[in-house]
């Protein structure tokens, strides 16, 4: 860049100093998969929710900080995620809130769709392990996970942003879409455990909500 000084023009180098090692990186994270609920005294096959029709989607931003100097050091992964959990009910059932309890009741019409949905904002915290690829240059060193195995385990906690029951059915020959927004006795604070294993940017991910 050029600037005017008392003795004429001054030329300054505007290039920022290159940092030799960057321990913290960040990226967009998206996850999706199947979802269901565990009920006391029942197996998963007895669940009132369709296994194939119930699922979740997560979208958020994560930071990852290397805890040691070497590329093989454990990493701390943290950030925020929006969770959309969907449970599709079987056998023409709907979820009905009766005071402090929820019950499953048969709907009066033939349902085309009966879905219970929860939206959460959670803050995950994971410890990640596994080697990283080292890229060394004269003025910098970088550690990346390209093509390398990784394993993570941790937990998350956050807030329930809303719950709703979505119904689709026919009534007197007309197509009806109905959305019922209530709290459905869902806990305001949600929390759970999670783990993942993968290679590079892709992972197989599982989570278990401890909150009811």
């Amino acid at each position: 860049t050029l600037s005017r000084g008392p003795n004429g023009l001054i030329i300054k180098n505007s290039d920022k100093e290159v940092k030799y090692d960057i321990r913290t990186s960040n990226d967009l994270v998206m996850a999706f998969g199947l979802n269901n609920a565990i009920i006391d005294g029942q197996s998963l096959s007895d669940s009132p929710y369709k296994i194939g029709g119930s699922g979740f989607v997560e979208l958020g931003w994560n930071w990852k900080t290397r805890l040691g100097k070497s590329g093989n050091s454990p990493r701390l992964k943290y950030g925020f995620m929006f969770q959309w959990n969907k449970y599709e009910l079987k056998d023409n059932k709907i979820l009905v809130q009766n005071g402090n309890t929820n019950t499953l009741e048969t709907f009066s019409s033939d349902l085309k769709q009966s879905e219970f949905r929860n939206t959460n904002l959670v803050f995950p915290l994971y410890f990640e392990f596994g080697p990283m690829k080292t890229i060394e240059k004269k003025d910098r060193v970088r550690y990346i996970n390209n093509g390398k195995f990784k394993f993570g385990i941790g937990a998350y906690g956050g807030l329930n942003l809303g719950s709703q029951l979505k119904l689709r059915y026919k009534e007197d020959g007309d197509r009806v879409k109905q959305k019922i927004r209530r709290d459905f006795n869902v806990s305001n604070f949600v929390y759970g455990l999670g783990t993942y294993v993968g290679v590079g940017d892709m992972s197989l991910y599982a989570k278990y909500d401890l909150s009811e």
Side-chain angles (χ1 to χ4, degrees), residues 110-212:
D110 185 20
L111 286 167
K112 299 296 182 182
Q113 183 184 43
S114 178
E115 288 182 355
F116 178 54
R117 297 186 176 188
N118 279 317
T119 302
N120 302 326
L121 171 62
V122 300
F123 302 91
L125 180 64
Y126 286 85
F127 287 96
E128 184 178 285
F129 306 90
M132 301 186 80
K133 183 179 179 180
T134 304
I135 300 177
E136 287 188 89
K137 295 186 178 181
K138 184 172 64 175
D139 59 346
R140 73 193 74 177
V141 61
R142 297 291 183 263
Y143 300 100
I144 59 176
N145 193 241
N146 286 15
K148 296 293 185 179
F149 170 82
K150 60 182 178 181
F151 165 73
I153 186 168
Y156 54 89
L159 302 173
N160 172 255
L161 302 181
S163 301
Q164 72 171 17
L165 182 67
K166 183 178 180 181
L167 305 176
R168 290 176 59 244
Y169 57 93
K170 280 190 175 182
E171 189 175 64
D172 298 328
D174 297 326
R175 294 180 180 179
V176 179
K177 293 182 180 180
Q178 187 177 7
K179 293 182 180 179
I180 303 171
R181 292 183 173 89
R182 302 186 67 178
D183 62 24
F184 287 99
N185 296 304
V186 175
S187 301
N188 291 325
F189 179 62
V190 296
Y191 55 95
L193 303 174
T195 185
Y196 60 89
V197 59
V199 175
D201 293 333
M202 303 295 293
S203 296
L204 181 64
Y205 163 59
K207 62 172 183 169
Y208 178 57
D209 292 341
L210 295 174
S211 51
E212 293 184 354

Side-chain angles (χ1 to χ4, degrees), residues 5-193:
N7 299 320
L9 292 177
I10 299 174
I11 300 176
K12 293 183 179 180
N13 187 356
S14 61
D15 293 337
K16 292 184 178 179
E17 183 180 351
V18 176
K19 193 171 183 179
Y20 179 74
D21 186 11
I22 299 177
R23 292 197 180 186
T24 298
S25 60
N26 61 89
D27 51 24
L28 179 72
V29 178
M30 182 176 183
F32 57 90
L34 299 177
N35 213 14
N36 218 286
I38 296 175
I39 301 174
D40 291 339
Q42 295 186 17
S43 66
L44 190 59
S45 60
D46 296 325
S47 170
Y49 307 107
K50 295 180 182 178
I51 295 179
S54 302
F56 73 92
V57 174
E58 296 188 13
L59 183 65
W61 201 265
N62 280 189
W63 287 263
K64 186 160 55 179
T65 299
R66 199 172 76 253
L67 300 179
K69 292 184 178 180
S70 73
N72 294 331
S73 301
R75 281 85 66 186
L76 190 65
K77 193 171 183 179
Y78 50 94
F80 64 91
M81 299 288 290
F82 288 96
Q83 294 180 340
W84 294 274
N85 295 308
K86 179 185 74 170
Y87 304 89
E88 186 173 352
L89 287 153
K90 298 187 293 188
D91 303 324
N92 216 60
K93 299 289 187 180
I94 65 170
L95 192 67
V96 178
Q97 181 176 351
N98 295 309
N100 295 327
T101 62
N102 296 333
T103 58
L104 294 176
E105 299 181 6
T106 302
F107 195 62
S108 57
S109 300
D110 185 20
L111 286 167
K112 299 296 182 182
Q113 183 184 43
S114 178
E115 288 182 355
F116 178 54
R117 297 186 176 188
N118 279 317
T119 302
N120 302 326
L121 171 62
V122 300
F123 302 91
L125 180 64
Y126 286 85
F127 287 96
E128 184 178 285
F129 306 90
M132 301 186 80
K133 183 179 179 180
T134 304
I135 300 177
E136 287 188 89
K137 295 186 178 181
K138 184 172 64 175
D139 59 346
R140 73 193 74 177
V141 61
R142 297 291 183 263
Y143 300 100
I144 59 176
N145 193 241
N146 286 15
K148 296 293 185 179
F149 170 82
K150 60 182 178 181
F151 165 73
I153 186 168
Y156 54 89
L159 302 173
N160 172 255
L161 302 181
S163 301
Q164 72 171 17
L165 182 67
K166 183 178 180 181
L167 305 176
R168 290 176 59 244
Y169 57 93
K170 280 190 175 182
E171 189 175 64
D172 298 328
D174 297 326
R175 294 180 180 179
V176 179
K177 293 182 180 180
Q178 187 177 7
K179 293 182 180 179
I180 303 171
R181 292 183 173 89
R182 302 186 67 178
D183 62 24
F184 287 99
N185 296 304
V186 175
S187 301
N188 291 325
F189 179 62
V190 296
Y191 55 95
L193 303 174

